[in-house]
Amino acid sequence: MAANQEEQEQEQEQRRRLLAVASRFPLPSGCRFSYGTAGFRADGATMAPAVCRAGILAALRSVKLAGAAVGIVITASHNPVSDNGVKIADPDGGMMAQHWEPFADALANAPDPDALLQLVLQFCKDEGIPLGSQHTAQVLLGRDTRPTGAYLLDAALQGINAIVGACAIDMGILTTPQLHWMVRSKNKGVRASESDYFMQLIGSFRRMLELVPKDKIGGEEKLIVDGANGIGGVKLEQIKAELSGLDINVRNSGKEGEGILNHMCGADFVQKERVTPHGFSSEDVGVRCASLDGDADRLVYFRLPSASDNRVDLVDGDKILSLFALFIREQLDIVNNNGGQANKSLSARLGIVQTAYANGASTQFLKSLGLEVAFTPTGVKYLHKRALDYDIGIYFEANGHGTVVFSEDLISQLESLSNELASQAPTGSAQHHAVMRLLATSQLINQAVGDALSGLLLVEAILQYKGWSFQNWCELYCDLPSRQLKVKVKDRSVIVTTDAETKVSQPSGLQELIDMETANYTHGRCFVRPSGTEDVVRVYAEASTQVEADSLAKSVAHHVERILG
Ligand code: 16G
Ligand code: MG
């Protein structure tokens, strides 16, 4: 067959497949999807058309990127069990590039098969994506434990297979960060299976513990983990026996009958409500506890201070970030201040990235360490991108999503320094140990995306290294009282923000009212932003007392209601 004819036939086949798949998953009338902060989200039972189209999108993204592996995660994270969602991971393991989001929206909302076909053809033409000819694409898929997961996985597979030459690989039921890690590893050409992920976590955690100074050994080993009845608890159960030096007890582990996914438990519940999650009792008073969200990409810590009420002492993402920053800063100082041997020093730019939700006390603490703190709008895609500007970038949202990213250049500097130091003093100097701790940290932490399991192990290793109790950690700084409210509005897009969401630029006059209210309080700080995931406007306020924070939030919420309601 002539090459030309073959090409034409493949093109026909491509059109036929797209039309066929679009007619198998018609868009119900009145349904509108938007690729928000965390992909498409809706009631799981209504998601199949959007998930199928996300499959098409992911396959096209892989074709565009010369066949590099792309990921699809089917999860609605910390949301109720009946919800579901889908998001796409780019080849580096991060979120899909933002400039594809408008196409994602258009594709998800294409009203009929013809419209969908035309949209794809036009987009491919504009982006220079070769359709129907010689190309490859691969998409790795993962899903959480939701009951709609299997059915939506099938919709995603059908979407991927509608692109000629695309290959889908189902990686099974996973935490969100596991799938992101696999995509990243696969494209780096290193081993990328689930057991490789576990081996890396367990191995680097062990190395961290081996580097704990002898006089610090013997701290609080007992840890209770609230698994939100999701996938994180299941995975932790699988590996906990291999985590020597830690005694982990998993609650809300997702086992049959233990409870409902994210219901009265999990990181989102604990961080927002600040009360004891389901499954904990007065016997747990005083013990160090951690809480994951339903897909294990958020982590917070807490402790039950007393049996008389259900309030908890919370350690949120900001305090996890502060612990990481303190530790990494300390190791860099040890490396660089070692007797002034300039030829062996590291030039590493360490930077912190937060959002406006970060408690003001945490920002002040970080700045008091002399660290550079940058701010971005809410959403992992913004924080992660900004963190990549540094040799070591640490980012966290207060809600517990965050990680540490290391530049390739710094990793190779650390590796050669480690080799050099090893040849000089085989038993290991303080400087060499610090270098090894930084290298082990870069292995232990998931550099693709925030990962509750790897974050938890890094926290545990650092607490042991410092010989710190939960109490020592809590006392790093004292959170300013804060309050979050949400206001239901007709159209949240009327609010436009600038300066990393700290200021409102539209509607005009609103920022002046916020400033006026804020000026009434000492240490007052307040901002409003449209949610990226719900039809609401969020209000955040901070002040020196809880009563004041509540009152500031309330008065600003009233203004928002009045102007937009
Ligand atoms: C999503 C984001 C999270 C953000 C939250 C804000 C990811 C993976 N997740 O859960 O980072 O904090 O949305 O929700 O990006 P909001 O816009 O409704 O306040
Ligand atoms: Mg999550």
Side-chain angles (χ1 to χ4, degrees), residues 483-487 537-541 550 552-555 557:
R483 174 64 60 206
Q484 274 200 58
L485 294 175
K486 52 183 178 184
V487 184
V537 168
R538 301 202 192 280
V539 178
Y540 176 91
D550 290 355
L552 175 55
K554 213 164 137 196
S555 42

Side-chain angles (χ1 to χ4, degrees), residues 41 75-78 87 176 293-298 401:
R41 289 265 167 89
T75 176
S77 182
H78 54 281
K87 64 182 165 191
T176 294
D293 76 335
D295 64 335
D297 66 352
R298 290 190 192 181
H401 188 116

Side-chain angles (χ1 to χ4, degrees), residues 321 325-326 329 332 348-355 362-376 386-396:
L321 165 72
L326 194 69
R329 176 61 201 267
L332 286 172
R349 239 184 112 213
L350 172 61
I352 310 296
V353 189
Q354 297 191 303
T355 72
S362 75
T363 310
Q364 221 194 337
F365 169 77
L366 292 159
K367 288 188 171 164
S368 75
L369 295 177
L371 294 167
E372 184 176 326
V373 186
F375 284 85
T376 71
R386 186 70 176 85
L388 293 173
D389 291 344
Y390 301 98
D391 290 309
I392 304 180
I394 315 177
Y395 70 86
F396 258 89

Side-chain angles (χ1 to χ4, degrees), residues 223 225 248 290 292 299 301 451-460:
L223 172 71
V225 180
I248 297 181
L292 324 176
L299 169 72
Y301 271 74
D451 181 335
L453 297 183
S454 88
L456 176 141
L457 293 180
L458 183 55
V459 165
E460 293 301 319

Side-chain angles (χ1 to χ4, degrees), residues 12-56:
Q12 284 308 321
E13 169 65 8
Q14 180 57 79
R15 284 165 191 253
R16 193 194 58 73
R17 285 200 204 175
L18 281 168
L19 288 171
V21 83
S23 50
R24 280 201 297 280
F25 292 99
L27 199 66
S29 63
C31 226
R32 256 207 92 72
F33 289 102
S34 158
Y35 199 93
T37 341
F40 298 121
R41 289 265 167 89
D43 185 317
T46 68
M47 286 287 303
V51 174
C52 166
R53 291 157 192 227
I56 298 174

